[in-house]
Structures are given as structure tokens and as C-alpha cells.
Amino acid sequence: DTGNRGNGYLEKKIALTIALEIGKQLSTQKGIKVIFTRKDDRFIELKNRAKIANQADADLFVSIHCDAFTSPKAYGAGTFVLGLHRNKDNFRIAQNENSVIFLEEDHETTYEGFDPNNPESVISLVLMQETYNSQSIEAANTIQKSFVTNLNRKDRTVKQAGFLVLYKTTMPSVLIETAFLPNPTEERLIGSAEGQQKMAQAMFQAFVNFKNATEGKSAATGTIEQKPVETK
């Protein structure tokens, strides 16, 4: 799954590079364990991405992507949680990310007839993540704040959409669209080693901030937050 292709760049390579860098930075932090769904160029089925996080009893699931749009003028960073799409743009993004299931064998049975092209299919997904909705939104808001504060990125805000990769995770889960590859300015940012480093640093800081805030609320339980990073 190459992901979207903008100006000669492949989403899968950019997402992996950023995720590995975030993991490198997080590994220096006490009390954080990073779990990757992949560390190299391989295809991981959507259901198995959630399974990896669930089996690790992870505390946060993060899916990293680059966005695409019909207009090359679209720009900025956006963070999503699982929910009903509020407009056509949100559905388009989820539809694009969910279409990866067509690369999987027997996806009709695996995903119980889920159709990425049918808005009604999303409704059944949302109920699965209700338990973690408030924490997912809190994590997403922390990530968006870091993008805006540390990178001066246009704030595309936290939105809801029906992402299949999030719905079977048994923990707070977010999906990040770091930049728009078809936009030449965005491509120069996200396609460069310096830009990828800055993007990773902003997300690293967000994850640490979320961990500290969460631990502050649950100090009595002695909970340790783990930060798995899931790439496209």
C-alpha cells in the first residue's frame, strides 16, 4: 500500500520515517514503551494493526498519514478520532484511508461487509470506540495544539470520521494527517528530512504532554502510559 502519491513522494515512506523518528525520541523517555506495527516496507492489514496494539495492552494508538486532496491549495495538519463524519471532506478522507481493505483477501468476511464507499457503514463502527472517545479527543487536541504552537501549522482542528483502522482498538486512538502531498509547499515540508524531523518532534512533544496529563489524572492507580505508533 503506497498510500497517496504527491509530487513524486510516497506516503508510506514519509509516514514510516516520521514514525521511526518519533519512536527514537520517545525511547529516551522514562515510562514509555513504543510498539510499531511495522519498521520496514511491508503491508499490515488494518485488522492486524489494531490487534498489535490490543495484544500489547497499549494506552494510545496513533495512525500516521499524509493527506491528498483534489485542490493543490489544501494545507495544514489535522487529527481525527473515530466518529460520524460531519461533512463530505471528512468522509472523503476516511473513504480514502479505508480503501486499503481492498488489498486484503476476503475483506468482505473479515470486516463483516463494511463498504468504504457507503456512509451508512460508518455508523456501526462508532459504537465500538465510545468508551474511549473523551480520551481520544483529549489526545487529538494535544497533538493539534503542538502542531500549531511548535510548527505554526494551519489548524485544521480535531474532527470525527469513520476510520476502520481505529474501530477495533481497545484504547484511545487517533489518526493524524500530517500534510497535503499534492500541495508543493506542503510537499517541500513533509518531503524533506528537516521537515520530517520537525513533524516528529512536534508529535513527540504532544505524546509526552498527553502522557503527563493522563498520569496526573490517574496517579492513584500508578498507570504507566505506553505510546504505540502505527503507520500507514
PDB file of all heavy atoms in Angstrom, residues 24-61:
ATOM      1  N   LYS A  24      12.195   6.830  18.147  1.00  0.00           N
ATOM      2  CA  LYS A  24      13.564   7.062  18.625  1.00  0.00           C
ATOM      3  C   LYS A  24      13.563   8.085  19.751  1.00  0.00           C
ATOM      4  O   LYS A  24      14.246   7.912  20.771  1.00  0.00           O
ATOM      5  CB  LYS A  24      14.433   7.541  17.459  1.00  0.00           C
ATOM      6  CG  LYS A  24      15.876   7.834  17.828  1.00  0.00           C
ATOM      7  CD  LYS A  24      16.647   8.313  16.610  1.00  0.00           C
ATOM      8  CE  LYS A  24      18.081   8.680  16.977  1.00  0.00           C
ATOM      9  NZ  LYS A  24      18.837   9.181  15.781  1.00  0.00           N
ATOM     10  N   GLN A  25      12.800   9.142  19.571  1.00  0.00           N
ATOM     11  CA  GLN A  25      12.755  10.190  20.585  1.00  0.00           C
ATOM     12  C   GLN A  25      12.022   9.725  21.839  1.00  0.00           C
ATOM     13  O   GLN A  25      12.444  10.001  22.967  1.00  0.00           O
ATOM     14  CB  GLN A  25      12.086  11.444  20.008  1.00  0.00           C
ATOM     15  CG  GLN A  25      12.883  12.097  18.889  1.00  0.00           C
ATOM     16  CD  GLN A  25      12.248  13.377  18.386  1.00  0.00           C
ATOM     17  OE1 GLN A  25      11.611  14.112  19.131  1.00  0.00           O
ATOM     18  NE2 GLN A  25      12.418  13.659  17.098  1.00  0.00           N
ATOM     19  N   LEU A  26      10.934   9.006  21.655  1.00  0.00           N
ATOM     20  CA  LEU A  26      10.155   8.538  22.803  1.00  0.00           C
ATOM     21  C   LEU A  26      10.911   7.495  23.623  1.00  0.00           C
ATOM     22  O   LEU A  26      10.693   7.371  24.827  1.00  0.00           O
ATOM     23  CB  LEU A  26       8.820   7.956  22.333  1.00  0.00           C
ATOM     24  CG  LEU A  26       7.762   8.957  21.890  1.00  0.00           C
ATOM     25  CD1 LEU A  26       6.560   8.227  21.287  1.00  0.00           C
ATOM     26  CD2 LEU A  26       7.299   9.826  23.050  1.00  0.00           C
ATOM     27  N   SER A  27      11.785   6.749  22.960  1.00  0.00           N
ATOM     28  CA  SER A  27      12.523   5.693  23.660  1.00  0.00           C
ATOM     29  C   SER A  27      13.462   6.249  24.714  1.00  0.00           C
ATOM     30  O   SER A  27      13.956   5.514  25.578  1.00  0.00           O
ATOM     31  CB  SER A  27      13.312   4.843  22.661  1.00  0.00           C
ATOM     32  OG  SER A  27      14.340   5.604  22.045  1.00  0.00           O
ATOM     33  N   THR A  28      13.716   7.546  24.666  1.00  0.00           N
ATOM     34  CA  THR A  28      14.587   8.172  25.659  1.00  0.00           C
ATOM     35  C   THR A  28      13.817   8.580  26.908  1.00  0.00           C
ATOM     36  O   THR A  28      14.427   9.006  27.898  1.00  0.00           O
ATOM     37  CB  THR A  28      15.270   9.433  25.079  1.00  0.00           C
ATOM     38  OG1 THR A  28      14.274  10.443  24.813  1.00  0.00           O
ATOM     39  CG2 THR A  28      15.995   9.108  23.785  1.00  0.00           C
ATOM     40  N   GLN A  29      12.485   8.467  26.852  1.00  0.00           N
ATOM     41  CA  GLN A  29      11.644   8.914  27.954  1.00  0.00           C
ATOM     42  C   GLN A  29      11.347   7.772  28.923  1.00  0.00           C
ATOM     43  O   GLN A  29      10.959   6.674  28.510  1.00  0.00           O
ATOM     44  CB  GLN A  29      10.321   9.484  27.411  1.00  0.00           C
ATOM     45  CG  GLN A  29      10.500  10.678  26.494  1.00  0.00           C
ATOM     46  CD  GLN A  29      11.077  11.874  27.210  1.00  0.00           C
ATOM     47  OE1 GLN A  29      10.505  12.359  28.184  1.00  0.00           O
ATOM     48  NE2 GLN A  29      12.213  12.363  26.734  1.00  0.00           N
ATOM     49  N   LYS A  30      11.497   8.034  30.192  1.00  0.00           N
ATOM     50  CA  LYS A  30      11.213   7.040  31.216  1.00  0.00           C
ATOM     51  C   LYS A  30       9.717   6.727  31.242  1.00  0.00           C
ATOM     52  O   LYS A  30       8.880   7.616  31.184  1.00  0.00           O
ATOM     53  CB  LYS A  30      11.656   7.553  32.588  1.00  0.00           C
ATOM     54  CG  LYS A  30      11.468   6.556  33.710  1.00  0.00           C
ATOM     55  CD  LYS A  30      11.958   7.139  35.027  1.00  0.00           C
ATOM     56  CE  LYS A  30      11.751   6.135  36.166  1.00  0.00           C
ATOM     57  NZ  LYS A  30      12.236   6.683  37.469  1.00  0.00           N
ATOM     58  N   GLY A  31       9.374   5.443  31.352  1.00  0.00           N
ATOM     59  CA  GLY A  31       7.983   5.039  31.472  1.00  0.00           C
ATOM     60  C   GLY A  31       7.216   4.964  30.174  1.00  0.00           C
ATOM     61  O   GLY A  31       6.003   4.824  30.170  1.00  0.00           O
ATOM     62  N   ILE A  32       7.913   5.049  29.034  1.00  0.00           N
ATOM     63  CA  ILE A  32       7.248   4.963  27.733  1.00  0.00           C
ATOM     64  C   ILE A  32       7.824   3.784  26.948  1.00  0.00           C
ATOM     65  O   ILE A  32       9.038   3.644  26.807  1.00  0.00           O
ATOM     66  CB  ILE A  32       7.423   6.250  26.908  1.00  0.00           C
ATOM     67  CG1 ILE A  32       6.695   7.413  27.574  1.00  0.00           C
ATOM     68  CG2 ILE A  32       6.890   6.054  25.481  1.00  0.00           C
ATOM     69  CD1 ILE A  32       6.829   8.717  26.820  1.00  0.00           C
ATOM     70  N   LYS A  33       6.944   2.949  26.434  1.00  0.00           N
ATOM     71  CA  LYS A  33       7.335   1.845  25.570  1.00  0.00           C
ATOM     72  C   LYS A  33       6.663   2.035  24.213  1.00  0.00           C
ATOM     73  O   LYS A  33       5.448   2.210  24.132  1.00  0.00           O
ATOM     74  CB  LYS A  33       6.906   0.500  26.176  1.00  0.00           C
ATOM     75  CG  LYS A  33       7.302  -0.699  25.317  1.00  0.00           C
ATOM     76  CD  LYS A  33       6.871  -2.002  25.974  1.00  0.00           C
ATOM     77  CE  LYS A  33       7.264  -3.206  25.131  1.00  0.00           C
ATOM     78  NZ  LYS A  33       6.829  -4.478  25.757  1.00  0.00           N
ATOM     79  N   VAL A  34       7.448   2.022  23.165  1.00  0.00           N
ATOM     80  CA  VAL A  34       6.934   2.237  21.813  1.00  0.00           C
ATOM     81  C   VAL A  34       6.776   0.897  21.100  1.00  0.00           C
ATOM     82  O   VAL A  34       7.693   0.078  21.087  1.00  0.00           O
ATOM     83  CB  VAL A  34       7.887   3.136  21.002  1.00  0.00           C
ATOM     84  CG1 VAL A  34       7.324   3.374  19.598  1.00  0.00           C
ATOM     85  CG2 VAL A  34       8.101   4.463  21.711  1.00  0.00           C
ATOM     86  N   ILE A  35       5.609   0.692  20.506  1.00  0.00           N
ATOM     87  CA  ILE A  35       5.323  -0.534  19.760  1.00  0.00           C
ATOM     88  C   ILE A  35       4.930  -0.145  18.335  1.00  0.00           C
ATOM     89  O   ILE A  35       3.976   0.603  18.142  1.00  0.00           O
ATOM     90  CB  ILE A  35       4.188  -1.327  20.424  1.00  0.00           C
ATOM     91  CG1 ILE A  35       4.577  -1.687  21.858  1.00  0.00           C
ATOM     92  CG2 ILE A  35       3.855  -2.584  19.617  1.00  0.00           C
ATOM     93  CD1 ILE A  35       3.422  -2.128  22.705  1.00  0.00           C
ATOM     94  N   PHE A  36       5.670  -0.650  17.365  1.00  0.00           N
ATOM     95  CA  PHE A  36       5.401  -0.334  15.964  1.00  0.00           C
ATOM     96  C   PHE A  36       4.574  -1.441  15.312  1.00  0.00           C
ATOM     97  O   PHE A  36       4.764  -2.618  15.621  1.00  0.00           O
ATOM     98  CB  PHE A  36       6.706  -0.201  15.179  1.00  0.00           C
ATOM     99  CG  PHE A  36       7.581   0.946  15.606  1.00  0.00           C
ATOM    100  CD1 PHE A  36       8.562   0.763  16.572  1.00  0.00           C
ATOM    101  CD2 PHE A  36       7.423   2.202  15.045  1.00  0.00           C
ATOM    102  CE1 PHE A  36       9.380   1.809  16.964  1.00  0.00           C
ATOM    103  CE2 PHE A  36       8.222   3.255  15.429  1.00  0.00           C
ATOM    104  CZ  PHE A  36       9.207   3.059  16.392  1.00  0.00           C
ATOM    105  N   THR A  37       3.700  -1.061  14.404  1.00  0.00           N
ATOM    106  CA  THR A  37       3.041  -2.075  13.595  1.00  0.00           C
ATOM    107  C   THR A  37       3.956  -2.522  12.459  1.00  0.00           C
ATOM    108  O   THR A  37       3.813  -3.622  11.940  1.00  0.00           O
ATOM    109  CB  THR A  37       1.713  -1.573  13.002  1.00  0.00           C
ATOM    110  OG1 THR A  37       1.962  -0.379  12.253  1.00  0.00           O
ATOM    111  CG2 THR A  37       0.708  -1.279  14.103  1.00  0.00           C
ATOM    112  N   ARG A  38       4.881  -1.660  12.068  1.00  0.00           N
ATOM    113  CA  ARG A  38       5.901  -2.052  11.094  1.00  0.00           C
ATOM    114  C   ARG A  38       7.113  -1.144  11.256  1.00  0.00           C
ATOM    115  O   ARG A  38       6.983   0.011  11.652  1.00  0.00           O
ATOM    116  CB  ARG A  38       5.388  -1.977   9.658  1.00  0.00           C
ATOM    117  CG  ARG A  38       5.107  -0.555   9.145  1.00  0.00           C
ATOM    118  CD  ARG A  38       4.593  -0.577   7.711  1.00  0.00           C
ATOM    119  NE  ARG A  38       4.280   0.770   7.214  1.00  0.00           N
ATOM    120  CZ  ARG A  38       5.081   1.480   6.431  1.00  0.00           C
ATOM    121  NH1 ARG A  38       6.265   0.981   6.063  1.00  0.00           N
ATOM    122  NH2 ARG A  38       4.729   2.680   6.014  1.00  0.00           N
ATOM    123  N   LYS A  39       8.290  -1.701  10.928  1.00  0.00           N
ATOM    124  CA  LYS A  39       9.517  -0.932  10.948  1.00  0.00           C
ATOM    125  C   LYS A  39      10.182  -0.890   9.582  1.00  0.00           C
ATOM    126  O   LYS A  39      11.260  -0.325   9.431  1.00  0.00           O
ATOM    127  CB  LYS A  39      10.500  -1.506  11.976  1.00  0.00           C
ATOM    128  CG  LYS A  39      10.096  -1.245  13.421  1.00  0.00           C
ATOM    129  CD  LYS A  39      11.201  -1.693  14.364  1.00  0.00           C
ATOM    130  CE  LYS A  39      10.880  -1.334  15.797  1.00  0.00           C
ATOM    131  NZ  LYS A  39      11.984  -1.725  16.731  1.00  0.00           N
ATOM    132  N   ASP A  40       9.535  -1.501   8.601  1.00  0.00           N
ATOM    133  CA  ASP A  40      10.088  -1.502   7.258  1.00  0.00           C
ATOM    134  C   ASP A  40       8.936  -1.504   6.255  1.00  0.00           C
ATOM    135  O   ASP A  40       7.773  -1.382   6.619  1.00  0.00           O
ATOM    136  CB  ASP A  40      11.029  -2.694   7.042  1.00  0.00           C
ATOM    137  CG  ASP A  40      10.383  -4.021   7.449  1.00  0.00           C
ATOM    138  OD1 ASP A  40       9.135  -4.128   7.392  1.00  0.00           O
ATOM    139  OD2 ASP A  40      11.121  -4.955   7.831  1.00  0.00           O
ATOM    140  N   ASP A  41       9.276  -1.665   4.978  1.00  0.00           N
ATOM    141  CA  ASP A  41       8.286  -1.554   3.902  1.00  0.00           C
ATOM    142  C   ASP A  41       7.508  -2.855   3.761  1.00  0.00           C
ATOM    143  O   ASP A  41       7.829  -3.693   2.926  1.00  0.00           O
ATOM    144  CB  ASP A  41       8.989  -1.200   2.595  1.00  0.00           C
ATOM    145  CG  ASP A  41       8.002  -0.867   1.486  1.00  0.00           C
ATOM    146  OD1 ASP A  41       6.795  -0.803   1.780  1.00  0.00           O
ATOM    147  OD2 ASP A  41       8.435  -0.666   0.344  1.00  0.00           O
ATOM    148  N   ARG A  42       6.499  -3.015   4.578  1.00  0.00           N
ATOM    149  CA  ARG A  42       5.631  -4.190   4.491  1.00  0.00           C
ATOM    150  C   ARG A  42       4.182  -3.753   4.699  1.00  0.00           C
ATOM    151  O   ARG A  42       3.910  -2.711   5.277  1.00  0.00           O
ATOM    152  CB  ARG A  42       6.025  -5.238   5.526  1.00  0.00           C
ATOM    153  CG  ARG A  42       5.742  -4.837   6.962  1.00  0.00           C
ATOM    154  CD  ARG A  42       6.164  -5.921   7.938  1.00  0.00           C
ATOM    155  NE  ARG A  42       7.618  -6.103   7.952  1.00  0.00           N
ATOM    156  CZ  ARG A  42       8.210  -7.116   8.568  1.00  0.00           C
ATOM    157  NH1 ARG A  42       7.489  -8.035   9.189  1.00  0.00           N
ATOM    158  NH2 ARG A  42       9.533  -7.205   8.572  1.00  0.00           N
ATOM    159  N   PHE A  43       3.259  -4.572   4.200  1.00  0.00           N
ATOM    160  CA  PHE A  43       1.839  -4.259   4.318  1.00  0.00           C
ATOM    161  C   PHE A  43       1.243  -4.974   5.526  1.00  0.00           C
ATOM    162  O   PHE A  43       1.340  -6.189   5.644  1.00  0.00           O
ATOM    163  CB  PHE A  43       1.093  -4.677   3.047  1.00  0.00           C
ATOM    164  CG  PHE A  43      -0.395  -4.462   3.127  1.00  0.00           C
ATOM    165  CD1 PHE A  43      -0.920  -3.185   3.258  1.00  0.00           C
ATOM    166  CD2 PHE A  43      -1.275  -5.535   3.079  1.00  0.00           C
ATOM    167  CE1 PHE A  43      -2.294  -2.981   3.337  1.00  0.00           C
ATOM    168  CE2 PHE A  43      -2.642  -5.347   3.157  1.00  0.00           C
ATOM    169  CZ  PHE A  43      -3.154  -4.061   3.284  1.00  0.00           C
ATOM    170  N   ILE A  44       0.655  -4.218   6.427  1.00  0.00           N
ATOM    171  CA  ILE A  44      -0.016  -4.765   7.593  1.00  0.00           C
ATOM    172  C   ILE A  44      -1.519  -4.537   7.420  1.00  0.00           C
ATOM    173  O   ILE A  44      -1.954  -3.397   7.253  1.00  0.00           O
ATOM    174  CB  ILE A  44       0.447  -4.086   8.902  1.00  0.00           C
ATOM    175  CG1 ILE A  44       1.971  -4.109   9.007  1.00  0.00           C
ATOM    176  CG2 ILE A  44      -0.201  -4.757  10.111  1.00  0.00           C
ATOM    177  CD1 ILE A  44       2.578  -5.483   9.113  1.00  0.00           C
ATOM    178  N   GLU A  45      -2.299  -5.612   7.441  1.00  0.00           N
ATOM    179  CA  GLU A  45      -3.743  -5.466   7.267  1.00  0.00           C
ATOM    180  C   GLU A  45      -4.321  -4.620   8.394  1.00  0.00           C
ATOM    181  O   GLU A  45      -3.826  -4.621   9.518  1.00  0.00           O
ATOM    182  CB  GLU A  45      -4.405  -6.841   7.240  1.00  0.00           C
ATOM    183  CG  GLU A  45      -3.989  -7.678   6.034  1.00  0.00           C
ATOM    184  CD  GLU A  45      -4.678  -9.028   5.988  1.00  0.00           C
ATOM    185  OE1 GLU A  45      -5.196  -9.463   7.043  1.00  0.00           O
ATOM    186  OE2 GLU A  45      -4.697  -9.647   4.916  1.00  0.00           O
ATOM    187  N   LEU A  46      -5.386  -3.901   8.092  1.00  0.00           N
ATOM    188  CA  LEU A  46      -5.961  -2.975   9.061  1.00  0.00           C
ATOM    189  C   LEU A  46      -6.311  -3.671  10.372  1.00  0.00           C
ATOM    190  O   LEU A  46      -6.040  -3.155  11.457  1.00  0.00           O
ATOM    191  CB  LEU A  46      -7.205  -2.301   8.479  1.00  0.00           C
ATOM    192  CG  LEU A  46      -6.983  -1.295   7.339  1.00  0.00           C
ATOM    193  CD1 LEU A  46      -8.302  -0.630   6.975  1.00  0.00           C
ATOM    194  CD2 LEU A  46      -5.959  -0.257   7.718  1.00  0.00           C
ATOM    195  N   LYS A  47      -6.935  -4.830  10.277  1.00  0.00           N
ATOM    196  CA  LYS A  47      -7.354  -5.532  11.494  1.00  0.00           C
ATOM    197  C   LYS A  47      -6.168  -5.911  12.366  1.00  0.00           C
ATOM    198  O   LYS A  47      -6.268  -5.959  13.598  1.00  0.00           O
ATOM    199  CB  LYS A  47      -8.166  -6.785  11.139  1.00  0.00           C
ATOM    200  CG  LYS A  47      -7.390  -7.875  10.417  1.00  0.00           C
ATOM    201  CD  LYS A  47      -8.264  -9.084  10.161  1.00  0.00           C
ATOM    202  CE  LYS A  47      -7.477 -10.244   9.558  1.00  0.00           C
ATOM    203  NZ  LYS A  47      -6.909  -9.920   8.256  1.00  0.00           N
ATOM    204  N   ASN A  48      -5.028  -6.182  11.728  1.00  0.00           N
ATOM    205  CA  ASN A  48      -3.845  -6.583  12.481  1.00  0.00           C
ATOM    206  C   ASN A  48      -3.138  -5.402  13.137  1.00  0.00           C
ATOM    207  O   ASN A  48      -2.421  -5.576  14.128  1.00  0.00           O
ATOM    208  CB  ASN A  48      -2.873  -7.335  11.575  1.00  0.00           C
ATOM    209  CG  ASN A  48      -3.383  -8.719  11.219  1.00  0.00           C
ATOM    210  OD1 ASN A  48      -4.156  -9.320  11.967  1.00  0.00           O
ATOM    211  ND2 ASN A  48      -2.985  -9.227  10.065  1.00  0.00           N
ATOM    212  N   ARG A  49      -3.351  -4.213  12.606  1.00  0.00           N
ATOM    213  CA  ARG A  49      -2.753  -3.035  13.241  1.00  0.00           C
ATOM    214  C   ARG A  49      -3.376  -2.826  14.624  1.00  0.00           C
ATOM    215  O   ARG A  49      -2.667  -2.583  15.603  1.00  0.00           O
ATOM    216  CB  ARG A  49      -2.954  -1.806  12.360  1.00  0.00           C
ATOM    217  CG  ARG A  49      -2.378  -1.989  10.959  1.00  0.00           C
ATOM    218  CD  ARG A  49      -2.591  -0.775  10.086  1.00  0.00           C
ATOM    219  NE  ARG A  49      -2.384  -1.107   8.681  1.00  0.00           N
ATOM    220  CZ  ARG A  49      -2.351  -0.225   7.697  1.00  0.00           C
ATOM    221  NH1 ARG A  49      -2.491   1.052   7.958  1.00  0.00           N
ATOM    222  NH2 ARG A  49      -2.169  -0.615   6.449  1.00  0.00           N
ATOM    223  N   ALA A  50      -4.687  -2.927  14.685  1.00  0.00           N
ATOM    224  CA  ALA A  50      -5.368  -2.803  15.974  1.00  0.00           C
ATOM    225  C   ALA A  50      -5.013  -3.984  16.882  1.00  0.00           C
ATOM    226  O   ALA A  50      -4.839  -3.819  18.094  1.00  0.00           O
ATOM    227  CB  ALA A  50      -6.872  -2.733  15.767  1.00  0.00           C
ATOM    228  N   LYS A  51      -4.896  -5.159  16.292  1.00  0.00           N
ATOM    229  CA  LYS A  51      -4.590  -6.369  17.069  1.00  0.00           C
ATOM    230  C   LYS A  51      -3.247  -6.250  17.773  1.00  0.00           C
ATOM    231  O   LYS A  51      -3.089  -6.662  18.929  1.00  0.00           O
ATOM    232  CB  LYS A  51      -4.593  -7.589  16.140  1.00  0.00           C
ATOM    233  CG  LYS A  51      -4.398  -8.919  16.853  1.00  0.00           C
ATOM    234  CD  LYS A  51      -4.473 -10.071  15.858  1.00  0.00           C
ATOM    235  CE  LYS A  51      -4.283 -11.426  16.554  1.00  0.00           C
ATOM    236  NZ  LYS A  51      -4.344 -12.540  15.571  1.00  0.00           N
ATOM    237  N   ILE A  52      -2.260  -5.685  17.088  1.00  0.00           N
ATOM    238  CA  ILE A  52      -0.936  -5.500  17.681  1.00  0.00           C
ATOM    239  C   ILE A  52      -1.027  -4.621  18.926  1.00  0.00           C
ATOM    240  O   ILE A  52      -0.441  -4.920  19.973  1.00  0.00           O
ATOM    241  CB  ILE A  52       0.036  -4.877  16.657  1.00  0.00           C
ATOM    242  CG1 ILE A  52       0.353  -5.891  15.546  1.00  0.00           C
ATOM    243  CG2 ILE A  52       1.320  -4.395  17.331  1.00  0.00           C
ATOM    244  CD1 ILE A  52       1.093  -5.300  14.363  1.00  0.00           C
ATOM    245  N   ALA A  53      -1.773  -3.539  18.816  1.00  0.00           N
ATOM    246  CA  ALA A  53      -1.931  -2.626  19.963  1.00  0.00           C
ATOM    247  C   ALA A  53      -2.710  -3.279  21.087  1.00  0.00           C
ATOM    248  O   ALA A  53      -2.365  -3.138  22.265  1.00  0.00           O
ATOM    249  CB  ALA A  53      -2.623  -1.348  19.508  1.00  0.00           C
ATOM    250  N   ASN A  54      -3.763  -4.003  20.734  1.00  0.00           N
ATOM    251  CA  ASN A  54      -4.589  -4.650  21.761  1.00  0.00           C
ATOM    252  C   ASN A  54      -3.807  -5.715  22.524  1.00  0.00           C
ATOM    253  O   ASN A  54      -3.910  -5.829  23.746  1.00  0.00           O
ATOM    254  CB  ASN A  54      -5.843  -5.263  21.126  1.00  0.00           C
ATOM    255  CG  ASN A  54      -6.789  -4.218  20.573  1.00  0.00           C
ATOM    256  OD1 ASN A  54      -6.719  -3.048  20.942  1.00  0.00           O
ATOM    257  ND2 ASN A  54      -7.682  -4.628  19.687  1.00  0.00           N
ATOM    258  N   GLN A  55      -3.045  -6.521  21.811  1.00  0.00           N
ATOM    259  CA  GLN A  55      -2.268  -7.578  22.450  1.00  0.00           C
ATOM    260  C   GLN A  55      -1.190  -7.006  23.370  1.00  0.00           C
ATOM    261  O   GLN A  55      -0.798  -7.633  24.356  1.00  0.00           O
ATOM    262  CB  GLN A  55      -1.638  -8.487  21.392  1.00  0.00           C
ATOM    263  CG  GLN A  55      -2.640  -9.374  20.677  1.00  0.00           C
ATOM    264  CD  GLN A  55      -1.999 -10.265  19.630  1.00  0.00           C
ATOM    265  OE1 GLN A  55      -0.911  -9.972  19.122  1.00  0.00           O
ATOM    266  NE2 GLN A  55      -2.662 -11.362  19.300  1.00  0.00           N
ATOM    267  N   ALA A  56      -0.728  -5.808  23.057  1.00  0.00           N
ATOM    268  CA  ALA A  56       0.286  -5.162  23.890  1.00  0.00           C
ATOM    269  C   ALA A  56      -0.335  -4.418  25.071  1.00  0.00           C
ATOM    270  O   ALA A  56       0.379  -3.886  25.900  1.00  0.00           O
ATOM    271  CB  ALA A  56       1.092  -4.177  23.047  1.00  0.00           C
ATOM    272  N   ASP A  57      -1.671  -4.412  25.125  1.00  0.00           N
ATOM    273  CA  ASP A  57      -2.381  -3.669  26.171  1.00  0.00           C
ATOM    274  C   ASP A  57      -1.909  -2.220  26.181  1.00  0.00           C
ATOM    275  O   ASP A  57      -1.612  -1.637  27.228  1.00  0.00           O
ATOM    276  CB  ASP A  57      -2.153  -4.315  27.541  1.00  0.00           C
ATOM    277  CG  ASP A  57      -3.126  -3.784  28.589  1.00  0.00           C
ATOM    278  OD1 ASP A  57      -4.200  -3.300  28.211  1.00  0.00           O
ATOM    279  OD2 ASP A  57      -2.780  -3.838  29.790  1.00  0.00           O
ATOM    280  N   ALA A  58      -1.842  -1.634  24.999  1.00  0.00           N
ATOM    281  CA  ALA A  58      -1.325  -0.270  24.838  1.00  0.00           C
ATOM    282  C   ALA A  58      -2.299   0.770  25.383  1.00  0.00           C
ATOM    283  O   ALA A  58      -3.483   0.499  25.566  1.00  0.00           O
ATOM    284  CB  ALA A  58      -1.043   0.001  23.359  1.00  0.00           C
ATOM    285  N   ASP A  59      -1.776   1.957  25.626  1.00  0.00           N
ATOM    286  CA  ASP A  59      -2.577   3.041  26.190  1.00  0.00           C
ATOM    287  C   ASP A  59      -2.935   4.125  25.181  1.00  0.00           C
ATOM    288  O   ASP A  59      -3.774   4.974  25.458  1.00  0.00           O
ATOM    289  CB  ASP A  59      -1.827   3.677  27.363  1.00  0.00           C
ATOM    290  CG  ASP A  59      -1.627   2.687  28.498  1.00  0.00           C
ATOM    291  OD1 ASP A  59      -2.636   2.234  29.062  1.00  0.00           O
ATOM    292  OD2 ASP A  59      -0.467   2.356  28.803  1.00  0.00           O
ATOM    293  N   LEU A  60      -2.277   4.123  24.036  1.00  0.00           N
ATOM    294  CA  LEU A  60      -2.608   5.081  22.981  1.00  0.00           C
ATOM    295  C   LEU A  60      -2.222   4.489  21.637  1.00  0.00           C
ATOM    296  O   LEU A  60      -1.135   3.930  21.483  1.00  0.00           O
ATOM    297  CB  LEU A  60      -1.860   6.399  23.188  1.00  0.00           C
ATOM    298  CG  LEU A  60      -2.119   7.485  22.136  1.00  0.00           C
ATOM    299  CD1 LEU A  60      -3.566   7.970  22.194  1.00  0.00           C
ATOM    300  CD2 LEU A  60      -1.157   8.653  22.326  1.00  0.00           C
ATOM    301  N   PHE A  61      -3.122   4.602  20.673  1.00  0.00           N
ATOM    302  CA  PHE A  61      -2.891   4.100  19.316  1.00  0.00           C
ATOM    303  C   PHE A  61      -2.850   5.306  18.386  1.00  0.00           C
ATOM    304  O   PHE A  61      -3.781   6.116  18.372  1.00  0.00           O
ATOM    305  CB  PHE A  61      -4.029   3.159  18.931  1.00  0.00           C
ATOM    306  CG  PHE A  61      -3.912   2.565  17.539  1.00  0.00           C
ATOM    307  CD1 PHE A  61      -3.207   1.393  17.328  1.00  0.00           C
ATOM    308  CD2 PHE A  61      -4.537   3.163  16.456  1.00  0.00           C
ATOM    309  CE1 PHE A  61      -3.118   0.827  16.059  1.00  0.00           C
ATOM    310  CE2 PHE A  61      -4.459   2.610  15.191  1.00  0.00           C
ATOM    311  CZ  PHE A  61      -3.746   1.443  14.991  1.00  0.00           C
TER     312      PHE A  61
END
